[in-house]
Amino acid sequence: DVKVTQSSRYLVKRTGEKVFLECVQDMDHENMFWYRQDPGLGLRLIYFSYDVKMKEKGDIPEGYSVSREKKERFSLILESASTNQTSMYLCASSREGLPIYGYTFGSGTRLTVV
Amino acid sequence: AQTVTQSQPEMSVQEAETVTLSCTYDTSESDYYLFWYKQPPSRQMILVIRQEAYKQQNATENRFSVNFQKAAKSFSLKISDSQLGDAAMYFCASQRPDSNYQLIWGAGTKLIIKP
């Protein structure tokens, strides 16, 4: 069964901490995405990557960075966590080209910054 | 900016009945993909159904079907014979212009199934 695995289901971090959210996919997908999900706002794209070491900013990149050193792994980094980054974070992957197959999602990481 | 609008934050339906979730979108493209995703309490988003805009025929997947009105930029999801397992958040998404792999998402509709 193909999957996208997010390393943590729940995380609680303190303000100012550096936070790493990890995502691994086993489908050899070229594209990987980090979304933030907040009630009433749907999914907002933070960053995406279309190849190893390649990344592009999404709609809300401020306060975040990413790393993709290997094709299967895409990490989201909160350089200095703040309370307004408390949210659900979803990782997704997709094949190259037209999104005919859609995305495959992980189960999400619910991050609380206190 | 391109937008996707789901005007119903929450819907409820009696088990075994039919419910329709609405979605409108805004695009200047002539060919694009549209999607409905389901997010159950387990939180993992699951693809329910997709529609390619140039295809006139409405997509169908078992109890799930869409009413695609291209001119009106409307893409509603009909769930027939609703089951308790259909309870979830439903998100509509459209392909972002000039992108082969980015989607734009609606805010979601919470579907409640009454036993």
Side-chain angles (χ1 to χ4, degrees):
Chain A
D1 194 19
V2 294
K3 62 173 65 171
V4 174
T5 303
Q6 293 185 232
S7 55
S8 303
R9 191 163 175 83
Y10 297 94
L11 273 180
V12 179
K13 296 292 182 180
R14 294 196 179 277
T15 301
E17 275 194 78
K18 190 169 186 176
V19 181
F20 293 85
L21 303 183
E22 306 288 345
C23 176
V24 177
Q25 51 99 357
D26 64 0
M27 296 164 286
D28 202 35
H29 282 173
E30 288 77 15
N31 305 316
M32 296 188 74
F33 307 83
W34 275 107
Y35 282 96
R36 173 175 170 157
Q37 181 181 2
D38 298 289
L41 297 178
L43 276 68
R44 294 180 292 166
L45 183 64
I46 305 171
Y47 268 96
F48 68 97
S49 169
Y50 51 90
D51 201 352
V52 175
K53 296 190 185 294
M54 305 303 289
K55 60 186 179 184
E56 288 196 23
K57 294 180 180 179
D59 299 314
I60 52 165
E62 296 78 18
Y64 303 94
S65 62
V66 291
S67 171
R68 193 170 181 197
E69 297 295 319
K70 294 184 178 181
K71 190 174 185 179
E72 66 271 18
R73 186 180 297 270
F74 191 37
S75 303
L76 179 69
I77 304 155
L78 287 67
E79 297 291 342
S80 177
S82 64
T83 55
N84 62 13
Q85 293 178 309
T86 291
S87 186
M88 172 78 80
Y89 291 88
L90 296 176
C91 176
S93 70
S94 74
R95 296 185 189 187
E96 187 177 12
L98 287 169
I100 188 169
Y101 300 107
Y103 293 173
T104 302
F105 281 87
S107 295
T109 296
R110 188 173 296 280
L111 173 67
T112 303
V113 183
V114 298
Chain B
Q2 183 166 331
T3 58
V4 175
T5 302
Q6 294 179 250
S7 59
Q8 307 147 317
E10 186 174 296
M11 292 278 287
S12 63
V13 64
Q14 205 72 34
E15 191 176 4
E17 294 188 348
T18 295
V19 63
T20 299
L21 309 183
S22 66
C23 174
T24 58
Y25 59 93
D26 177 26
T27 183
S28 56
E29 301 293 308
S30 58
D31 194 19
Y32 46 89
Y33 285 89
L34 298 165
F35 301 84
W36 277 99
Y37 277 84
K38 168 186 177 181
Q39 187 181 39
S42 66
R43 301 185 338 204
Q44 184 159 23
M45 299 272 275
I46 302 164
L47 178 62
V48 175
I49 201 165
R50 74 174 67 84
Q51 174 83 39
E52 190 165 5
Y54 82 86
K55 292 184 177 178
Q56 297 295 324
Q57 188 172 8
N58 289 325
T60 300
E61 290 286 343
N62 300 312
R63 296 183 295 107
F64 297 86
S65 61
V66 299
N67 182 5
F68 174 51
Q69 305 283 336
K70 190 173 184 179
K73 297 180 181 175
S74 172
F75 181 60
S76 59
L77 175 69
K78 186 172 85 171
I79 306 173
S80 303
D81 185 26
S82 299
Q83 300 175 0
L84 294 177
D86 295 333
M89 285 290 293
Y90 286 82
F91 291 92
C92 176
S94 73
Q95 183 179 353
R96 187 171 291 217
D98 300 324
S99 173
N100 281 344
Y101 43 78
Q102 288 191 60
L103 300 180
I104 298 174
W105 297 83
T109 297
K110 182 178 181 180
L111 179 63
I112 298 167
I113 310 294
K114 298 177 183 176

